[in-house]
Amino acid sequence: MNTFPSSTYFSAPPDWGWLIVFYFFFGGLAGGCYFIAALIDLFGRPEDRPLARLGYYIAFPCVLLSGVLLTLDLNRPLRFWHMLIESNTFQPMFKLWSPMSVGSWALLIFGIFSLVSFLGALAEDGRIQSPAWRKVRPPGMLNGVIVVLGGLVGFYVAGYTGVLLAVTNRPIWSDTPLLGMLFVVSAASISAALMILLAHRSKWTMPGIGALHRLDAWVVVLEFLVLIAVMISLGPVFRAWVNAWGVLLFLGVIVLGMVIPSALYWRRQWLGDRNVTTAAALVLVGGFILRLVIVFSAQGV
Amino acid sequence: MADSDCVVVMGSNMAENHPVAFRWPMKAKTEHGAKIIHVDPRFTRTSAVADIYAPVRAGSDIAFLGGVINYVINSEKWNKDPFFKSFVVNYTNAATIINEDFKDAEDLDGVFSGLAPAKGGVPEWPFNGAINQYDGATWQYAREKSGAAAAKPELKPGEGFAPLVASLVRPPVLKDETLKNPRCVFQIVKRHFARYTPETVEKATGCPKETFLKVAETILANSGADRTTSFAYAVAWTQHTYGVQIIGACALLQLLLGNIGRPGAGVMALRGHASIQGSTDVPTLYHSIQGYLNAPSALRKHDTLQDYIATETIPTGYWANMPKFAVSYLKSMYGEAATKENQFGWDWHPKILGDHSHMAMFVAMNAGKVKGMFCVGQNPATSLNAKLDRAALRKLEWLVVKDNWLTETANFWKNAPEVKNGEVKTADIKTEVFYLPATQVAELEGTFTNTQRLLQFHHKAAEAPGDCRSDTLFYYDLGKRLKKLYANSTAPRDEGFKNLVWDYEHEDESERKKGEPSALKILKEINGFFTDDPARHCAGFGELKDDGSTTCASWIYSGVYPAAGKLLADRRTPDPPGKPGAQLNWGWAWPANRRVMYNRASSDPDGKPWSERKKWVWWDAAAKKWVGYDVPDYIGTKPPNDKPKPGAAGMDALPGTAPFIMRPDGQGWLYVPGGLVDGPLPTHYEPVESPVNNLLYKQQTSPVYKHWKDPANELAKVGDPKFPYVITTYRLTEHYLAGAMSRWLPWLTELQPELFVEISPELAQEKGIKNLDWCKISSPRTVIRAKALVTRRMQPFKIDGKVIHQVGMPWHWGYEGLSKGDVVNELTSLIADPNVSMHEAKAFVCNVEKA
Amino acid sequence: MAEPMGFYTDTTVCIGCKACEVACKEWNQLPSTNGGVNTLSGDSYDNTRRLDGIHWRHVKFIEQFTEDRKDGHWLLMSDVCKHCVQAPCLEVCPTGAIVRTEFDSVVIQSDACNGCRDCISACPFGVIEVNPASGTAQKCTLCYDRLQGGMEPACSQACPTQSIQFGTIRELHGRAQKRVAQLHEAGEKRAYLYGADEKTLGGLNSFYLLVDKPEVYGLPPDPKMPTRNLASASWFSALGAVVVGLMGIINFRNRGAGAQDHEERP
Ligand SMILES: Nc1nc2c(c(=O)[nH]1)N[C@H]1C(S)=C(S)[C@@H](COP(=O)(O)OP(=O)(O)OC[C@H]3O[C@@H](n4cnc5c(=O)[nH]c(N)nc54)[C@H](O)[C@@H]3O)O[C@H]1N2
Ligand SMILES: Nc1nc2c(c(=O)[nH]1)N[C@H]1C(S)=C(S)[C@@H](COP(=O)(O)OP(=O)(O)OC[C@H]3O[C@@H](n4cnc5c(=O)[nH]c(N)nc54)[C@H](O)[C@@H]3O)O[C@H]1N2
Ligand code: SF4
Ligand code: SF4
Ligand code: SF4
Ligand code: SF4
Ligand code: SF4
Ligand SMILES: [Mo]
């Protein structure tokens, strides 16, 4: 009888699959983009406002998509509302200590914030003619409050998924407290990356873009450090990654999604024009693979 | 068994096959730390909870038990402890002296005196499978010389058969209570088993000497005045060509140890099919009419009832009452028509021609001797040498299958392997097959008789669906139609049908309309009643008479239904917890509601309990009767110091110290002078198909086993290199017998989904077989396929220094049902024990190859 | 609340007959693996393999034999939901479908469950799975319906050897300790109780008498509450957010660099 690295090895996999991987990815983008947009709104220059709007444009559809993905993953999708309302008593259903419960609420609230900011952005762009919605954009006290709160909830949505995994009894997931942190940081990196890509597509040249590059470059490094921390914190359970998943994690996430992009960010000339966009694209890919590996590898054991 | 201090499960996988009964050994284990021992070729579910597991090669049980007997006889404890001496001298035939012309297996290297080639039997029935047979004349007790037995008196009308019985009494036997006489049973037994040393046991059985000794020590340590050991066996002892002798060896051992007739003692035959005990009491057995009375036979002097009684009655002991049971039985058959004048219809009663057991009947069927078959509650298409059995079915004109499912037998003409592979064409099968759906047990009322002879009445719980009808309805209706058919016949052979009592009309209107007979009326006929006052039930077999004034279909059941509205089998009152008791108010056990048979042996010769702890039945000197927790299995007022009356018949011929009242001498038989056709003492033989030579005697196999010779029934030679492995077949908890009762049920098939062959890693490696590989298993009869289950629960045996592999297969599968698989009985052969015609599916040879 | 009820399972008298497994299926009318058309697992006599949505009881067969067979054990154990006093599954369930009953047992209300499967990953014993028939997470209910009707659970009632004993936890603890003592006396020194103490999730309302390490029986040596990670994980995430936030602020504030950046471009 071989010995087990952790008591978590006796639990059963919940069969969270692709739907969840995509949800983690888009949830991350939604939260991350909103958060960055909020930062730009609050600290950026006026010229950068399009960038902020870009963030809101990405955030809202991603939240929507997240909600859909989550619901589809339920074995009884029509009962999605049971997460929010106790089905026999019709009282609100809220468990502070259950990440999935809090997360569901967070998703709902964040949905509202991102919708508001989304409409605001549209109005500012003049795509919808509504002076009223125009008003929810900064500057202004109320607007400040909206983006601050929205940004925080957004980042919660981006990060709670990691906490949710930690609050189980599955190997890897619940053998480290750092997954939430990893997901938060990764959310920032992929969001920045996506914004960079889209900004470049529309040939924008506002200064904020440079800031984005640097931000992403830094965050990718930070993400790398957190990932190493995760591996160390796993201790003996790290064994669970001594397999194909481990290889994918190394090549797909570390090499492809972190090392190469960082190199590209710091050594600009390599690919000339394509340099940054390639880096950003790779960061996105890496961010996706990261979630994929974490979701699936823990259910393999 | 809950009272046992040691339970030896040998020849059975009790936990697997009798899980509910196994609660008692487990109770003994958890409540007073009883030791559980399992002796089996495989490490099984029983072994898993046993304190000692002793591996033995299939077929070597007599060598093992003989070893224990030898160990006990020579042990210090057995020779010092007065209990054993007292029990053996008083309660067994140890002191009895045997004829000087008796020759033991010791003298003739494995056979006894009196062996000769078999006589064929009657020409009408050449299907007895016998090869040799013994004449047991030399095996008898030595008796005092005295004038030849009294000439047979002419019976005067008016008086019963008592004088005839009295005339059968023989002179007293010679004894030596010091057990020193070289011809006394004890000395013969001691010599006979002297060669069964621990070393020999290890060589012949493959059981390590230390393990064997541990078993022997544990059994001995848990036997005596205040400790008892019980044995539990089932078909792993019976399914051998010397099965009866294995059981005899165990009885011998238990008698030596004083483990019979006492609480927590005994030799427990774990019966098989639900109520199979009942079906041998009120028999479906061909050789017994009822209550273990021999069937009228064309092979013995049974021309008249008087001849039958003269031939079959044991004049001393309780069997002296046999005429009463026989006459009451004939009255139950032919009622009013049975009179003294016509010998109670003796001539109407069918007589057997020879061996009519399962295998003999199928051989006859295959020879075209059988026109039709009612297959009710059996699945012969999967039985011994299944291919030959199915060939026999094809020879039938008609076959009626009455079952709950469309079994392999019901579909043998359609889905059997030989039909599927084109060997046989359905079109060529002329047998007309009728299928009648049967009810399940919960859909009718009646009694079950289980292992401990306990009758329990069960009430109808549900209506049977659709066209399902009970078996009683079927036979009742069939009987009615046949009576109608023969009503006007003048042929003498049809008199029986014409006079047969056949009136079980149901009391309940709606049931009667359906044609369902009354279970209670049938039970009343079995229990017996008085012919002059049919409303008066017999209170017990003590009331039966041989003058036609009583009727009783099975004497041993007399008393279960002592009065209308008083059905003792329906009782469900347990004893209060804590106090010792025999649960006398739970159901009803034959005979006479006695729970422990021969329980007179539970107290010493003076009638005092052997010990406080093992108190059961004892003599109350003040009240001048036997009392105790159980119903005394004795004449209630016969005092311990009662002396036998010279020349007397019946119980008067026995002393007050003779517990075994069904034996002519009232004693437990260490040595069996009569009743067995294969020898008075257990002797180790090899199975007919064996890879090794008999290490104990020159005689390889039982000299008198049965073999039905047929090209489709070839046997492997000893040590045949083509079939090097010992194979045994057995059961799984998850399935039931041929599988009709389990392989149709998803909840069970998911638990044991496929047929497998259990082999040791050692053999697997030798054969390059991996776990779950498909394998071919072959015997001289056929080849079948199964998946390999490689497990260390199986182990190779070292037999006389040579490695012998043991493989095993559960035999539950067939070609019908939700879970299908090959029929393991394609491998087995038609050979049998000469006493009871039981097959040898527990030990034969095979080969295993990767498919 | 009635007295806490549950199971004491003495694995040393289990004969692996699976009566408990079948009785459970019969009472709860649970479907069979692939309609009963199953395949041989090759793992001893265990062909249902694990507890899941359609197997609320499962009998384990563990073969332990030395090569020379001198030492051999076939450990048999009937596994089931432990009805933990602090139940991880109940704790994480976001819909409140999992409740604690008056018998201190843990029950999943199928009508409330939406199949999010969070409980599956939370149960340290791998007890819960989705029952395809209902599309909801299911497991042993401690026969809640029978208990309410004053009956004992189907499985324990079916158990022929009293390997599964049902009763009040207090009484069962007493019985179990006696049995352990008896076994120690008889020389079975390895016997011990698993889950009878508060240390394991506040105590298991279905606890076991074992004669080898928990792992051998497929049981976690020290099952933990999933929420053990809640605080730490949350704080670390927050920290992550703060750091990223600061990085953002620095970058978007640090205009010089930002401008320069631009001018650099040819
Ligand atoms: N679940 C279930 N229960 C049943 C049945 C069933 O089919 N399924 N059948 C019922 C019937 S009809 C009967 S007759 C009984 C039979 O009850 P058992 O006799 O207990 O049944 P088997 O499994 O045939 O054989 C028991 C054991 O004998 C071992 N064995 C084989 N050969 C030998 C040998 O030569 N010596 C010794 N000492 N052991 C040997 C086998 O390894 C096996 O473990 O069970 C009854 N109960
Ligand atoms: N190789 C090998 N062969 C063996 C054995 C072995 O150990 N090894 N064991 C032998 C033993 S001990 C036995 S008992 C035999 C058993 O062999 P069989 O008796 O031929 O097999 P069963 O499956 O018991 O057949 C009983 C049938 O009765 C049906 N049935 C059940 N209840 C009722 C009812 O109320 N009415 C009617 N009409 N039918 C009913 C069932 O569906 C089933 O089809 O097998 C023997 N064969
Ligand atoms: S199947 Fe019936 S007879 Fe056999 S053990 Fe179970 S309950 Fe007893
Ligand atoms: S064992 Fe698992 S399913 Fe049962 S109560 Fe504990 S956590 Fe819940
Ligand atoms: S699957 Fe059902 S029971 Fe389990 S956590 Fe989700 S809602 Fe609760
Ligand atoms: S308690 Fe009831 S539900 Fe739980 S395992 Fe036993 S039978 Fe099944
Ligand atoms: S019913 Fe009892 S003995 Fe049988 S497997 Fe279940 S727990 Fe073990
Ligand atoms: Mo049987």
Side-chain angles (χ1 to χ4, degrees), chain C residues 7 24 28 56-57 80 140-143 153-155:
Chain C
F7 293 128
C24 175
N28 297 295
W56 300 355
R57 265 257 172 219
V80 70
C140 163
T141 66
L142 201 76
C143 278
C155 53

Side-chain angles (χ1 to χ4, degrees), chain C residues 80-84 86-90 106 122-128 139 201:
Chain C
V80 70
C81 166
K82 314 298 176 294
H83 296 279
C84 316
Q86 293 158 17
C89 60
L90 185 152
V106 177
C123 171
F125 306 95
V127 164
I128 312 179
K139 67 165 190 79
L201 304 175

Side-chain angles (χ1 to χ4, degrees), chain B residues 722-727 777-780 807 827 844-848:
Chain B
K722 292 200 301 306
F723 306 105
Y725 312 128
V726 179
I727 179 173
I777 303 92
S778 54
S779 84
V807 311
L827 298 174
F844 55 106
V845 293
C846 75
N847 188 19
V848 182

Side-chain angles (χ1 to χ4, degrees), chain B residues 30 750 754 791-792 794, chain C residues 25 33 40 63 65 69 182:
Chain B
T30 51
E750 79 169 335
E754 294 181 279
T791 166
R792 283 197 175 158
M794 301 294 291
Chain C
K25 292 203 135 195
T33 316
L40 196 67
E63 298 187 7
F65 292 85
R69 314 297 204 280
Q182 185 195 33

Side-chain angles (χ1 to χ4, degrees), chain B residues 105-167:
Chain B
E106 286 302 294
D107 318 314
L108 304 178
D109 210 346
V111 301
F112 299 91
S113 47
L115 185 63
K119 307 189 215 64
V122 298
E124 295 79 2
W125 195 259
F127 308 112
N128 300 326
I131 302 165
N132 300 315
Q133 70 185 47
Y134 274 115
D135 171 355
T138 57
W139 307 349
Q140 302 308 309
Y141 289 167
R143 295 178 180 273
E144 290 172 10
K145 301 274 169 291
S146 75
K152 207 176 290 157
E154 261 322 309
L155 288 191
K156 295 169 218 61
E159 80 187 347
F161 290 93
L164 171 55
V165 173
S167 72

Side-chain angles (χ1 to χ4, degrees), chain A residues 7 14 76 79 82 95 98 169, chain C residues 90 92 110 112 117 121-122 222:
Chain A
S7 272
R76 301 295 295 266
R79 295 184 179 177
H82 289 199
K95 278 190 184 174
S98 164
N169 264 309
Chain C
L90 185 152
V92 300
S110 246
R117 314 196 291 293
S121 57
D222 65 335

Side-chain angles (χ1 to χ4, degrees), chain A residues 210-296:
Chain A
L212 264 182
H213 295 168
R214 215 173 308 101
L215 174 63
D216 206 26
W218 290 11
V219 175
V220 169
V221 175
L222 176 61
E223 188 180 356
F224 175 75
L225 297 175
V226 177
L227 182 55
I228 298 304
V230 167
M231 294 179 174
I232 294 165
S233 67
L234 282 179
V237 181
F238 181 74
R239 250 210 255 144
W241 272 341
V242 190
N243 55 22
W245 293 117
V247 177
L248 186 59
L249 191 67
F250 181 71
L251 297 180
V253 179
I254 298 183
V255 177
L256 206 66
M258 296 174 174
V259 179
I260 300 180
S262 322
L264 288 170
Y265 277 133
W266 300 122
R267 298 256 160 283
R268 294 287 164 83
Q269 50 281 53
W270 284 358
L271 303 176
D273 230 4
R274 305 212 145 289
N275 214 329
V276 192
T277 48
T278 321
L282 289 178
V283 170
L284 273 170
V285 176
F288 183 80
I289 298 179
L290 173 72
R291 287 159 176 77
L292 182 137
V293 171
I294 285 176
V295 168
F296 280 103

